[in-house]
Amino acid sequence: MPVNQAPFPATRLRRLRKSPAMRDLVRETHLSVSDLIWPVFVRQGKGEVEPVASMPGVNRYSVDKLVEAAREAQSLGIPAICIFPYTGQEDRTESCELAWDPDNIANRAIAAVKEAVPELAVMTDIALDPYNANGHDGIVRDGIIVNDETVEALVRMALAQAAAGADILGPSDMMDGRIGAMRAALEAEGHHDVAILSYAAKFASAFYGPFRDAVGASAALKGDKKTYQIDPGNRNEALRCVERDLSEGADMVMVKPGLPYLDIARAVKDRFGAPTYAYQVSGEYAMIEAAAQNGWIDGDQAMLESLTAFRRAGCDGVLTYFAPRMAQILNG
Ligand code: PBG
């Protein structure tokens, strides 16, 4: 903290706030389009753009429409999108084998976007929930989410996504040992340059509700995810998870959800210095949108303020459903 501050009235901190020009000059934290990763939902069909009811302004795209959206994102200067599949009960089994099918909707979308817009980085989600009959991120045996068998399945899923052309793999499952296993398999298969952005500090959160609707998982999910996602009260445990994932070969790490966990983001950045991202999750997006639609807050201002807060907390970037709208505003 500054120790050289003269007492009032020699120091009047309001001097530097008096006009937009002065405020621009002294602003400490800047948000730019290159800080944004856009999470998108892909579904079956052709020519489909289907609104997600619980996330106003967010759509599920068929692959052809997703390619158009990806092109638009790239032209706005957004560096990366993150693809999530919308699945139905017919895609879900107890053994989750569609998860590593090279032809599943996510892998087809990855390949189509990389083919049409190669400059755009494509990130994926690695977890079994879209393909699991019970909606969990891991394989369930006798009511237990089994760790090691799940990791084997996740490794197959990772290799299929890498083969489809993904630039960044995003393991969001919170099983133990998955980063090391994936990294070893990627190296063994010659995928030396595929990055892993680990959902390292992922909390068991109520803020994922709208997302589970968006991907079709709400009805399938039996119980909660508290045996694998972190308890919201635990800061030290979150830091141990990040340290472990970095030591196993993660290139970048994520804190999730975002705004309620900014203290974790700051601690992760300060302690490890690795590329650090936060996920402004579906519930955070929905809260801002719902309040804005009611006229209770200014949606654009709340969007900018919340995204700036992630940068101030030390994040290198943010996964946000606001990405295209924020990019349009930042681009003027
Ligand atoms: C699935 C996954 C979730 C999210 C990203 N990947 C939901 C969950 O863990 O239940 C949440 C994203 C959001 O809420 O926007 N493993």
Side-chain angles (χ1 to χ4, degrees), residues 39 41 55 82 84 125-130 135-137 170-174 199 202-212 214-215 217 221 225 228-229 254 256-257 279-285 319 321:
F41 300 109
M55 301 173 72
C82 181
F84 292 94
D125 189 68
I126 301 181
L128 300 179
D129 51 335
H136 277 288
D137 292 11
S172 70
D173 53 282
M174 289 300 284
Y199 287 61
K202 178 170 178 180
F203 291 85
S205 174
F207 293 101
Y208 308 147
F211 173 95
R212 291 178 189 166
V215 297
L221 182 61
K225 300 192 176 184
Y228 44 107
Q229 299 176 348
M254 190 200 294
K256 178 182 176 193
Y279 197 142
Q280 182 180 50
V281 299
S282 56
E284 300 176 65
Y285 174 88
L319 285 92
Y321 302 98

Side-chain angles (χ1 to χ4, degrees), residues 52 64-65 70 75 92 101-102 116 138 153 162 184 197 203 215-216 220 254 258 266 271-272 303 309 311 324:
V52 176
D64 56 324
K65 288 289 174 184
S75 69
R92 299 165 176 277
D101 187 324
L197 199 180
F203 291 85
V215 297
M254 190 200 294
R266 170 49 72 195
R271 184 165 312 189
F272 304 108
M303 165 177 75
R311 298 280 294 135

Side-chain angles (χ1 to χ4, degrees), residues 15 31 85-86 93 116 193 202 206 208 217 225 266 274 286:
R15 285 183 199 123
L31 178 70
Y86 169 70
T93 58
D193 294 329
K202 178 170 178 180
Y208 308 147
K225 300 192 176 184
R266 170 49 72 195

Side-chain angles (χ1 to χ4, degrees), residues 13-313:
L13 290 163
R14 290 185 56 197
R15 285 183 199 123
L16 300 181
R17 300 181 198 139
K18 77 169 184 185
S19 67
M22 296 298 280
R23 294 194 292 273
D24 282 349
L25 271 178
V26 301
R27 186 164 304 115
E28 298 170 41
T29 305
H30 296 271
L31 178 70
S32 82
V33 179
S34 59
D35 304 324
L36 306 174
I37 299 176
W38 184 27
V40 293
F41 300 109
V42 62
R43 49 155 291 161
Q44 303 289 343
K46 212 172 180 310
E48 302 276 358
V49 178
E50 176 190 27
V52 176
S54 54
M55 301 173 72
V58 171
N59 302 303
R60 303 182 187 111
Y61 301 95
S62 53
V63 173
D64 56 324
K65 288 289 174 184
L66 181 67
V67 166
E68 283 176 27
R71 230 181 242 119
E72 171 78 10
Q74 204 267 331
S75 69
L76 285 166
I78 294 171
I81 63 171
C82 181
I83 295 176
F84 292 94
Y86 169 70
T87 54
Q89 213 45 45
E90 67 283 2
D91 301 310
R92 299 165 176 277
T93 58
E94 297 287 334
S95 49
C96 315
E97 60 273 2
L98 196 58
W100 52 91
D101 187 324
D103 265 344
N104 72 24
I105 184 76
N107 289 332
R108 281 193 282 122
I110 294 164
V113 171
K114 284 312 292 182
E115 157 103 40
V117 202
E119 314 82 10
L120 183 70
V122 170
M123 177 176 166
T124 66
D125 189 68
I126 301 181
L128 300 179
D129 51 335
Y131 309 103
N132 204 342
N134 49 65
H136 277 288
D137 292 11
I139 291 169
V140 181
R141 300 250 179 256
D142 301 324
I144 306 278
I145 289 96
V146 292
N147 192 86
D148 301 7
E149 199 183 333
T150 298
V151 170
E152 286 175 31
L154 296 171
V155 167
R156 283 184 217 120
M157 191 175 181
L159 290 174
Q161 293 177 351
D167 299 287
I168 306 169
L169 305 182
S172 70
D173 53 282
M174 289 300 284
M175 297 299 123
D176 286 318
R178 85 260 207 238
I179 303 299
M182 279 175 209
R183 179 53 78 206
L186 289 168
E187 284 293 324
E189 299 282 318
H191 296 298
H192 307 299
D193 294 329
V194 173
I196 297 177
L197 199 180
S198 167
Y199 287 61
K202 178 170 178 180
F203 291 85
S205 174
F207 293 101
Y208 308 147
F211 173 95
R212 291 178 189 166
D213 290 341
V215 297
S218 299
L221 182 61
K222 297 189 177 70
D224 58 48
K225 300 192 176 184
K226 291 179 183 171
T227 70
Y228 44 107
Q229 299 176 348
I230 305 170
D231 186 284
N234 292 357
R235 178 176 182 277
N236 289 325
E237 186 185 341
L239 294 175
R240 292 178 71 200
C241 286
V242 171
E243 182 168 38
R244 187 263 319 265
D245 285 6
L246 287 169
S247 75
E248 290 183 14
D251 303 282
M252 312 144 99
V253 291
M254 190 200 294
V255 174
K256 178 182 176 193
L259 278 197
Y261 297 86
L262 285 186
D263 59 320
I264 308 291
R266 170 49 72 195
V268 166
K269 188 64 191 178
D270 286 350
R271 184 165 312 189
F272 304 108
T276 301
Y277 297 79
Y279 197 142
Q280 182 180 50
V281 299
S282 56
E284 300 176 65
Y285 174 88
M287 287 194 299
I288 292 175
E289 278 302 294
Q293 285 194 357
N294 277 294
W296 295 336
I297 59 173
D298 179 323
D300 282 353
Q301 289 300 327
M303 165 177 75
L304 176 62
E305 185 178 331
S306 62
L307 292 172
T308 303
F310 291 109
R311 298 280 294 135
R312 196 191 60 234

